[in-house]
């Protein structure tokens, strides 16, 4: 049947190409794919009845569309069932999932690591063996490229992000990502952030010039019931192509019980640049407990959004189906090795950068119970937003509470712990100075807090008022304390129009000794 349908489409293509010529005989085949007849799942055998496994038919439709450069359109009235078969649909053309429903059944899965859809490029990555060293802020890599490329560089001889705590580990290889143009010029909006005295791998991934768009779709995951271990499920939409927009997608989760394996992000963005997720509804997953690397119980992270080794990734007007302040659900986003992340007009439970982000912006958004968790470098800008976490920014202690750069909080509302009685701090974190994280750890060099309203009306008894800094090291009480790996403290904090519902003034910290050299400038 599928062979006959392919013949039907093959006979139709010459007609479509003739129609693609305008009245002057000019060839418009390179115009947006919306001018061409889309490929239908139904024509390749999909039943859309919510019971028959349609994965093979969906894959066949996309194979044909990829071969001939045609868009794909789902049937708005269909419900496509996707069982546990180990097969990935490759998407290389514009796809409109429309109002169609997709049921992804994870109760019996052959390959938990296999994506359902992978958005990929026909442009193949290649190595750059002549590039043997790189320096921080280097402006040119010294080799020509076929066009703009995302460059990933690794030195496996150096370990960084050596995690501390219940999920301790031995670190990850030194890694950086950046974009270079055809002449090898580095995009300095996302500069190289590490010195590479040696390079064990450097890969260039060409960036597609033409945008690709994924639209619509109502996806429901029937959750796995596997053992609660760090065996991540990646039955998702994996974006592995640059210059992609996902818009209007909805993802829900059902069937979660009292245990389950975690998820690595239903929208999983990696090894790519210039990706936008907009007008999209997602779902936080239940939090489960497991045993961490230190042999003690830990809460286990599971995500609906994930970004890894990705650059210029934007989440615009995104929200989630469950209460962003419900602590039963884990934070919705996790990221590693990213640059230039953006939340704009989002209502989500968390923003999180695990193994570093270079430059991040959160604006016009509301963050829930897990708030903003980050380490990294560059500029962290939070503006016109409401934060309901335990602090405005938590600098992750498991990676050294490091931010080498600037922090700006402007025109925001902070509701500590969503109104629960806690001793509020604007910036939280912890660093004893006794653990080697594989890099020097920094507090933000400069912090600007302007027009911040702290709603601390639900404060505990004997509350002394909110602090700028939490007590990052309770053991550092006087000059006798010695840091084996010194933590570089903030130099300057500027406060302007910071008000509290309690009427109590903002303090520097409970640990005045640790922050004794911080210069605090207060304005009206």
């Amino acid at each position: 049947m599928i062979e006959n349908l392919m013949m039907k489409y093959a006979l139709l293509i010459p007609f479509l190409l003739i129609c693609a010529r305008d009245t002057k005989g000019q060839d418009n085949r390179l115009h947006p794919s919306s001018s061409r007849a889309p490929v239908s799942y139904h024509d390749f055998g999909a039943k859309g009845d919510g019971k028959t496994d349609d994965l093979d038919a969906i894959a066949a439709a996309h194979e044909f569309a990829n071969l001939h450069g045609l868009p794909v359109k789902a049937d708005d009235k269909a419900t496509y069932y996707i069982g546990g078969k180990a097969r990935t649909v490759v998407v290389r053309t514009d796809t409109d999932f429309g109002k169609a429903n997709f049921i992804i059944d994870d109760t019996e899965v052959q390959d938990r690591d296999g994506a359902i859809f992978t958005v990929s490029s026909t442009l193949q990555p290649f190595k750059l063996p002549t590039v043997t060293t790189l320096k921080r802020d280097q402006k040119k890599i010294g080799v020509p490229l076929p066009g703009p490329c995302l460059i990933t560089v690794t030195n496996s001889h150096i370990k960084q992000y050596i995690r501390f705590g219940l999920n301790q580990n031995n670190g990850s290889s030194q890694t950086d990502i950046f974009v270079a143009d055809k002449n090898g010029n580095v995009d300095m909006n996302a500069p190289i952030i590490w010195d590479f005295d040696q390079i064990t791998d450097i890969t260039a991934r060409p960036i597609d010039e033409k945008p690709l768009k994924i639209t619509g779709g109502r996806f429901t995951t029937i959750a796995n019931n596997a053992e609660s271990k760090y065996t991540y499920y990646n039955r998702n939409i994996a974006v592995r192509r640059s210059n992609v927009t996902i818009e209007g997608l909805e993802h829900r989760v059902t069937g979660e019980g009292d245990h389950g394996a975690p998820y690595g992000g239903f929208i999983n963005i990696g090894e790519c640049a210039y990706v936008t997720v907009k007008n999209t509804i997602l779902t936080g997953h239940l939090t489960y407990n497991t045993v961490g690397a230190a042999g003690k119980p830990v809460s286990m992270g599971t995500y609906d959004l994930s970004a890894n080794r990705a650059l210029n990734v934007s989440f615009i007007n995104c929200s989630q189906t469950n209460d962003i302040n419900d602590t039963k659900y884990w934070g919705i986003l996790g990221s590693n090795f990213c640059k230039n992340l953006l939340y704009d007009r989002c209502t989500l439970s968390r923003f999180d950068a695990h193994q570093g982000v270079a430059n991040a912006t959160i604006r016009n958004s509301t963050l829930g119970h897990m708030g903003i968790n980050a380490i990294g470098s560059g500029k962290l800008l939070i503006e016109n937003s409401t934060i309901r976490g335990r602090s405005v920014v938590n600098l992750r202690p498991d990676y050294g509470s490091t931010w080498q750069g600037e922090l700006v909080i402007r025109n925001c509302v902070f509701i500590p712990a969503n109104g629960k009685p806690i001793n509020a701090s604007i910036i939280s974190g912890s660093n004893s100075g006794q653990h080697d994280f594989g890099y020097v750890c920094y507090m933000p060099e400069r912090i600007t807090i302007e027009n911040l309203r702290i709603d601390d009306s639900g404060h505990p008894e004997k509350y002394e008022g909110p602090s700028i800094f939490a007590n990052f090291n309770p053991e550092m009480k006087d000059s006798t304390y010695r840091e084996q790996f010194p933590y570089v403290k903030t130099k300057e904090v500027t406060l302007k129009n910071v008000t509290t519902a309690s009427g109590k003034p903002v303090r520097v910290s409970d640990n005045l000794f640790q922050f004794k050299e911080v210069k605090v400038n207060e304005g009206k």
Side-chain angles (χ1 to χ4, degrees):
M1 176 182 176
I2 290 178
E3 289 78 5
N4 292 336
L5 288 166
M6 285 189 169
M7 180 65 71
K8 165 190 164 183
Y9 275 98
L11 292 172
L12 180 60
I13 284 174
F15 172 74
L16 292 172
L17 296 183
I18 292 171
C19 293
R21 295 181 181 275
D22 65 19
T23 55
K24 296 181 181 180
Q26 294 176 329
D27 194 344
N28 290 329
R29 281 177 289 180
L30 297 181
H31 284 196
S33 60
S34 59
S35 64
R36 293 167 287 164
V39 174
S40 165
Y41 296 146
H42 174 77
D43 282 346
F44 284 81
K47 299 296 184 183
D49 59 9
K51 299 177 182 179
T52 306
D53 195 329
D54 287 323
L55 183 59
D56 287 340
I58 291 169
H62 280 279
E63 285 174 7
F64 184 85
N66 296 341
L67 182 63
H68 297 288
L70 295 170
V72 174
K73 175 72 172 74
D75 182 351
D76 283 344
K77 297 180 180 179
T79 296
Y80 302 103
Y81 175 82
I82 297 172
K85 182 182 297 185
R87 183 168 188 178
T88 295
V89 179
V90 177
V91 178
R92 289 179 173 164
T93 63
D94 288 353
T95 298
D96 183 4
F97 293 128
K99 297 179 181 178
N101 293 290
F102 293 80
I103 298 173
I104 300 172
D105 188 346
D106 286 350
T107 54
E108 294 185 17
V109 171
Q110 293 177 357
D111 179 13
R112 61 181 173 80
D113 289 325
I116 303 298
F117 295 91
T118 293
V119 183
S120 70
S121 172
T122 58
L123 303 176
Q124 295 301 308
F126 56 93
K127 304 296 183 181
L128 297 173
T130 60
V131 181
T132 58
T133 63
L134 287 171
K135 295 296 181 183
R136 179 185 175 96
D137 293 324
Q138 185 171 321
K139 295 182 179 179
K140 196 164 186 174
I141 62 172
V143 294
L145 300 168
C149 291
L150 177 69
I151 312 294
T152 304
V153 57
T154 302
N155 181 2
S156 61
H157 299 294
I158 291 180
K159 297 300 179 183
Q160 298 177 320
Y161 302 104
I162 302 169
R163 198 171 188 179
F164 175 77
L166 297 178
N167 280 320
Q168 62 196 35
N169 60 35
N170 294 322
S172 300
S173 296
Q174 184 184 42
T175 299
D176 209 341
I177 58 167
F178 57 92
V179 167
D181 66 16
K182 65 179 182 179
N183 298 315
N185 297 308
V186 176
D187 181 357
M188 298 307 289
N189 290 315
I192 299 168
I193 60 173
W194 302 110
D195 288 327
F196 287 84
D197 296 328
Q198 185 177 358
I199 292 173
T200 54
D201 184 84
I202 181 166
T203 302
R205 291 176 170 80
I207 294 173
D208 286 82
E209 181 179 356
K210 181 182 176 182
L212 187 149
K213 190 168 186 179
I214 309 294
T215 309
R218 298 170 178 173
F219 294 84
T220 299
T221 294
I222 302 175
N224 74 78
N225 292 305
E227 191 175 353
S228 296
K229 289 184 174 181
Y230 284 111
T231 50
Y232 280 90
Y233 274 60
N234 291 298
R235 303 255 298 163
N236 52 23
I237 298 175
V239 180
R240 300 294 183 266
R241 176 200 195 270
S242 295
N243 206 1
V244 172
T245 297
I246 296 176
E247 182 170 7
L249 181 147
E250 299 179 13
H251 180 237
R252 290 171 171 81
V253 179
T254 187
E256 290 183 304
D258 58 5
H259 61 88
Y263 282 84
F266 183 72
I267 298 178
N268 184 297
I269 301 164
E271 308 286 3
C272 55
Y274 311 111
V275 177
T276 299
V277 179
K278 61 192 301 187
N279 304 327
T280 289
I281 300 172
L282 300 145
T283 298
H285 291 253
L286 282 178
T287 298
Y288 295 118
N289 293 319
T290 190
V291 176
K296 297 181 179 180
V298 294
S299 298
M300 185 171 58
T302 183
Y303 309 103
D304 223 32
L305 285 173
S306 179
N308 296 285
R309 292 177 174 85
L311 186 151
N312 291 351
V313 178
S314 300
F315 301 98
I316 300 173
N317 195 34
C318 294
S319 60
Q320 62 186 78
T321 61
N322 33 24
D323 183 356
I324 64 172
N325 299 304
D326 190 336
T327 58
K328 294 195 303 292
Y329 300 100
W330 193 256
I332 202 159
L333 170 76
S335 70
N336 295 287
F337 302 114
C338 289
K339 292 182 178 178
N340 299 347
L341 295 182
L342 169 68
Y343 271 14
D344 189 3
R345 290 173 284 134
C346 290
T347 302
L348 297 170
S349 59
R350 179 170 80 162
F351 174 94
D352 200 350
H354 289 74
Q355 295 179 78
V357 60
N359 303 323
T361 299
I362 298 166
R363 63 189 183 214
N364 310 315
S365 295
T366 299
L367 276 295
H369 73 98
M370 294 190 80
I372 299 169
N373 297 267
I375 60 163
S377 60
K379 186 173 184 178
L380 176 55
L381 172 62
I382 305 155
E383 61 181 354
N384 302 318
S385 294
T386 298
I387 313 300
R388 295 178 176 271
R390 296 185 66 86
S391 56
V392 177
V393 177
N394 177 47
L395 298 174
R396 291 186 62 116
D398 49 349
Y399 292 113
S401 294
T402 185
W403 189 274
Q404 189 177 7
E406 181 182 10
L407 168 62
V408 177
I409 301 169
R410 179 186 299 132
N411 302 329
C412 289
V413 175
F414 173 36
I415 306 172
N418 195 37
K420 294 178 182 177
I422 67 166
N423 289 304
S425 297
I426 298 172
I427 302 161
S428 61
S430 177
N431 189 323
S432 68
Q434 307 305 324
H435 180 77
D436 181 6
F437 292 94
Y439 41 72
V440 177
C441 293
Y442 297 82
M443 286 186 179
E445 181 177 3
R446 294 182 306 279
I447 298 172
T448 302
I449 304 172
E450 182 177 6
N451 298 330
L452 174 65
R453 173 66 173 169
I454 302 175
D455 185 354
D456 56 353
S457 54
H459 59 77
E461 294 183 10
K462 299 181 181 180
Y463 178 61
E464 297 181 7
S467 61
I468 300 171
F469 300 102
N471 189 347
F472 276 64
N473 186 359
E475 299 300 316
M476 182 181 279
K477 300 175 182 178
D478 55 42
S479 59
T480 62
Y481 188 87
R482 293 291 180 265
E483 295 176 296
Q484 186 177 356
F485 302 96
Y487 187 28
V488 182
K489 312 303 187 295
T490 296
K491 292 181 179 179
E492 185 175 16
V493 177
T494 299
L495 301 178
K496 184 177 180 180
N497 193 28
V498 178
T499 60
T500 64
S502 67
K504 295 183 178 293
V506 175
R507 303 173 297 120
V508 174
S509 176
D510 287 340
N511 191 335
L512 293 178
F513 176 79
Q514 184 175 22
F515 297 100
K516 67 182 185 301
E517 295 181 1
V518 176
K519 181 181 179 182
V520 179
N521 303 313
E522 295 192 56
K524 294 181 179 181

